Amino acid sequence: MRTGDTPRPQPGPGGDPTDEATYERVRTTQAPPAQAPPVQALSRRGMLRLSAGAGLGAALGTAGAVPRPAFADPAPATGIVKPLPPELFVPQGTNAEMRWEAMRGQGHLTPVDRFFVRNHVATPRIDARTWRLKLWGTGLHGAPPETRPIEFSYEDLLGMRAETITSAIECTGNARGFYTSQQGQQVSGTPWGLGGVGVARWRGVPLSAVLERAGLTSRAVDILPRGLDADFVDKGENLGRVRRPLPVAKALDDVLLAYEMNGAPLPPDHGFPVRLVVPSWVGVANIKWLGDVQVADEPLYSPWNTRYYRLFGPGYPPEGSAPLTRMNVKSAFELPWDAPLPARRRLLHGRSWSGTGRVRKVEVSADGGRTWRPARLRDRHAPAHGWVRWEFPWRPNGPGRHELLARATDETGAFQPSTAPYNTLGYLFGAVVRHPVTVS
Ligand SMILES: Nc1nc2c(c(=O)[nH]1)N[C@H]1C(S)=C(S)[C@@H](COP(=O)(O)O)O[C@H]1N2
Ligand SMILES: [Mo]
């Protein structure tokens, strides 16, 4: 799951609570994988529609949004609410991939208008006035399972001490398409290029504060945040609503219940009214349209940490690897795919990022990987969970097709190898991507 052949960073005494080995050890010593326990269906009656682009005022009911039942309107074909202009996005079914040339000239953050969308189903429209976050389960004091959930309203959360973090969200399948196009391997899932990632500034309440208020016990092991979007049906099988267990150690570490993205209320497609932001972890951990959080004194399971988001295939046990946690190292040029470039000297621009540590070095090759030269890093003091912008002067040695390669190394020594280890679901493609351009 990490790229390169450097060893993982060593866990400290007691083990790094957020690495895969510890995640699996702590949880599997307690119970065998089982179906997630049945949970109370939350009423959807209270969820009302808001007009697109509703601001905080409208979210709080001061702008006269017309109450209508959720899911009543025909959604756009994609199920995505925001416009998806072709110069910013590549359609990917229910998802939208960002075009990397759309980051050219941008600051550190990905503007919302071009931030990728990954929806299992479709964006639900939720009324913040009636929305409640419910916490329940055996890991809370005085909250018998499935009774008396502890509730927070949107305004409750707005009234708590806020924190702001800059963090990438990246789909675990980002760059999956290169397993096939570069390595000739068949994998299942959305064939993303490199545009299944974005960096935003998220503001909200630390999940730890909400868990504490809800009465977290020292016996709690896992939490299970669940979205309010419709049930996910995979090839005719209803898997219920999107939900993915998170170890309590990570939940208490740096996870945010975010209600703002880049200084404005979360847009509908990115989880309005509240989503999780789980820095450096696989995208699916960042549950959108959060409705309830089960807190349990035993390990929890859902299809999103058993049948998906593990590595399967040769070299892995039948039940797959441990559930995936951190993302890996990647780099991208801020250029169109097959970009036409004039034959003169120019600066190439790009970004590199990693879920395992800060990016320390980026190298570029314009001769198919024979020789590498360092790129100039522009964000030496970039936020820990964002990306590093870089530039590289290049004079093409002649007209025709060229391949540009970029590879990064992070502070743990994790780097981008020339091939990514195969897994059937095509997760964590971290190899160097060969970006074609045509010089004329
Ligand atoms: N409720 C819910 N949360 C979700 C998803 C979803 O389909 N439903 N998709 C997940 C996945 S797989 C990813 S990669 C991220 C994408 O976040 P974004 O759409 O804001 O870019 O959201 C995660 N949270
Ligand atoms: Mo994802």
Side-chain angles (χ1 to χ4, degrees):
M1 47 221 80
R2 275 156 52 87
T3 54
D5 45 22
T6 47
R8 296 192 66 88
Q10 287 306 300
D16 175 353
T18 67
D19 80 5
E20 279 133 34
T22 312
Y23 180 109
E24 188 72 337
R25 191 169 64 243
V26 170
R27 301 165 73 262
T28 51
T29 51
Q30 303 181 42
Q35 288 300 349
V39 289
Q40 278 176 312
L42 299 175
S43 163
R44 294 194 170 179
R45 253 178 317 160
M47 286 188 279
L48 308 171
R49 268 190 68 89
L50 285 171
S51 57
L56 202 53
L60 289 168
T62 53
V66 181
R68 283 158 65 206
F71 317 116
D73 274 10
T78 56
I80 294 172
V81 170
K82 70 182 176 185
L84 303 173
E87 66 277 16
L88 299 181
F89 290 102
V90 181
Q92 294 276 16
T94 58
N95 316 298
E97 172 170 359
M98 183 195 73
R99 290 188 186 274
W100 260 96
E101 59 267 38
M103 285 310 292
R104 183 69 211 103
Q106 296 297 324
H108 192 81
L109 306 179
T110 309
V112 167
D113 68 358
R114 61 206 65 191
F115 203 99
F116 85 103
V117 180
R118 166 41 177 146
N119 279 355
H120 281 72
V121 190
T123 296
R125 309 305 298 269
I126 295 169
D127 185 342
R129 292 168 300 182
T130 50
W131 174 86
R132 297 287 181 274
L133 174 63
K134 303 178 200 229
L135 289 96
W136 57 277
T138 55
L140 298 179
H141 288 294
E146 301 180 36
T147 58
R148 287 195 288 131
I150 292 153
E151 295 194 355
F152 293 81
S153 70
Y154 190 59
E155 283 179 85
D156 289 339
L157 295 180
L158 296 184
M160 291 177 68
R161 190 179 55 82
E163 275 185 19
T164 306
I165 50 169
T166 296
S167 182
I169 289 183
E170 181 178 17
C171 193
T172 326
N174 192 26
R176 177 185 284 127
F178 298 110
Y179 277 109
T180 306
S181 63
Q182 278 192 190
Q183 303 189 177
Q185 294 163 332
Q186 293 313 307
V187 291
S188 53
T190 303
W192 299 98
L194 277 165
V197 61
V199 171
R201 199 149 165 74
W202 310 95
R203 185 163 188 268
V205 181
L207 178 57
S208 58
V210 166
L211 287 171
E212 249 161 61
R213 261 200 213 184
L216 185 74
T217 73
S218 57
R219 295 182 313 280
V221 174
D222 270 358
I223 71 161
L224 182 55
R226 185 164 57 153
L228 289 165
D229 40 341
D231 290 356
F232 176 59
V233 178
D234 187 14
K235 298 179 196 79
E237 189 185 351
N238 188 330
L239 300 177
R241 285 193 266 137
V242 175
R243 58 200 188 281
R244 207 223 183 203
L246 195 63
V248 163
K250 178 65 175 173
L252 294 179
D253 183 15
D254 57 359
V255 176
L256 206 62
L257 288 164
Y259 47 72
E260 275 185 22
M261 178 179 187
N262 293 348
L266 273 186
D269 296 310
H270 298 289
F272 183 86
V274 172
R275 81 175 303 166
L276 282 192
V277 173
V278 184
S280 77
W281 277 37
V282 288
V284 70
N286 301 265
I287 296 294
K288 303 192 277 189
W289 315 295
L290 190 61
D292 72 301
V293 179
Q294 180 183 0
V295 185
D297 60 7
E298 59 182 357
L300 298 174
Y301 298 89
S302 86
W304 288 268
N305 74 339
T306 56
R307 73 157 81 173
Y308 312 116
Y309 303 102
R310 293 178 182 230
L311 304 178
F312 295 94
Y316 298 105
E319 72 277 15
S321 69
L324 299 177
T325 57
R326 289 174 182 269
M327 289 304 296
N328 52 0
V329 191
K330 290 192 189 68
S331 301
F333 290 92
E334 296 169 358
L335 284 173
W337 201 250
D338 282 323
L341 296 180
R344 54 181 156 72
R345 185 180 186 276
R346 55 157 41 237
L347 266 188
L348 300 172
H349 301 266
R351 301 177 192 236
S352 299
W353 62 99
S354 167
T356 53
R358 289 171 191 267
V359 169
R360 287 293 187 232
K361 183 172 72 173
V362 179
E363 299 160 293
V364 171
S365 172
D367 59 6
R370 277 185 296 281
T371 59
W372 296 86
R373 277 188 296 132
R376 191 176 81 81
L377 303 191
R378 291 180 55 204
D379 290 310
R380 284 194 178 278
H381 304 287
H385 303 292
W387 41 31
V388 168
R389 287 177 289 176
W390 44 260
E391 53 195 33
F392 183 86
W394 182 50
R395 184 194 303 278
N397 58 13
R401 195 181 147 95
H402 295 257
E403 279 184 338
L404 301 174
L405 283 61
R407 67 180 185 197
T409 304
D410 77 16
E411 61 190 341
T412 72
F415 66 96
Q416 298 185 254
S418 52
T419 53
Y422 170 77
N423 66 94
T424 58
L425 299 182
Y427 293 133
L428 296 181
F429 184 94
V432 177
V433 168
R434 310 176 76 91
H435 190 128
V437 297
T438 302
V439 174
S440 55

